[in-house]
Amino acid sequence: MPAHASRGSAQPDSTLAAFGVSGSGQVDADAVWAVITGLYAAHGAGEQGQVDEQLDPAATMWHSESETMLAGKQDLDRLRAERADSQGEPEVSSYEAYAPVIDVCGHMALVRYWLRVDYAPADDDTPLRPELVRNTAVLRRSATDWRIVHLHEEVWAAGGVPEEA
């Protein structure tokens, strides 16, 4: 893992910039972080409906598996269908979002964080290297909840390949 990508706490730190017009910045930061971690928990459990609950239906996404920006649920569903059709891809065993930097201002939030994707060993039991992804998410608060309106992924260290000796 790159030195600058050291693993940190998966919980927001009270020293993070977390500002809310109501003075409830840390409460908002915790709620925003719960959306991010909930997204990956649902994704790891294969709960597509719960993943979609974390996303605004018109959310845009620079997804690491797409050359073009996804615009809304229809584009995301197209990518999901393409992924389902692919065979021989390594099996993801877990997702871990960590080291968040969260800014909350009124009804908008900006979250920068790392995502580690771990893979099950290959069919011959060869360990596979984890993938490290730098992410930026923009969330908007409605009257009832926070939802992701934009997500930008950048693969920093490709994974799903045999560990180097």
Side-chain angles (χ1 to χ4, degrees), residues 72-94:
K73 187 173 180 320
Q74 182 177 352
D75 278 355
L76 181 56
D77 286 343
R78 178 189 44 78
L79 180 67
R80 288 170 171 160
E82 291 170 4
R83 186 185 300 142
D85 290 341
S86 64
Q87 298 293 327
E89 295 295 319
E91 178 186 344
V92 173
S93 61
S94 67

Side-chain angles (χ1 to χ4, degrees), residues 15-148:
T15 62
L16 295 174
F19 305 103
V21 293
S22 66
S24 62
Q26 190 60 50
V27 170
D28 287 339
D30 290 345
V32 164
W33 187 237
V35 170
I36 299 298
T37 57
L39 174 80
Y40 295 109
H43 190 54
E47 298 292 336
Q48 183 175 314
Q50 289 180 9
V51 168
D52 292 346
E53 288 178 18
Q54 311 306 315
L55 300 168
D56 184 273
T60 56
M61 188 180 304
W62 287 113
H63 196 288
S64 61
E65 296 176 26
S66 176
E67 291 183 20
T68 60
M69 184 169 63
L70 304 179
K73 187 173 180 320
Q74 182 177 352
D75 278 355
L76 181 56
D77 286 343
R78 178 189 44 78
L79 180 67
R80 288 170 171 160
E82 291 170 4
R83 186 185 300 142
D85 290 341
S86 64
Q87 298 293 327
E89 295 295 319
E91 178 186 344
V92 173
S93 61
S94 67
Y95 296 93
E96 180 189 5
Y98 63 96
V101 176
I102 303 171
D103 291 292
V104 178
C105 185
H107 68 282
M108 300 298 292
L110 177 64
V111 185
R112 288 80 76 197
Y113 61 98
W114 283 94
L115 177 67
R116 178 186 169 109
V117 181
D118 288 309
Y119 294 91
D123 290 340
D124 65 357
D125 288 329
T126 300
L128 301 180
R129 182 172 56 216
E131 185 164 88
L132 299 177
V133 185
R134 296 192 298 192
N135 290 275
T136 302
V138 179
L139 292 86
R140 182 174 44 229
R141 178 179 25 214
S142 70
T144 58
D145 57 11
W146 287 96
R147 291 222 178 164
I148 298 167

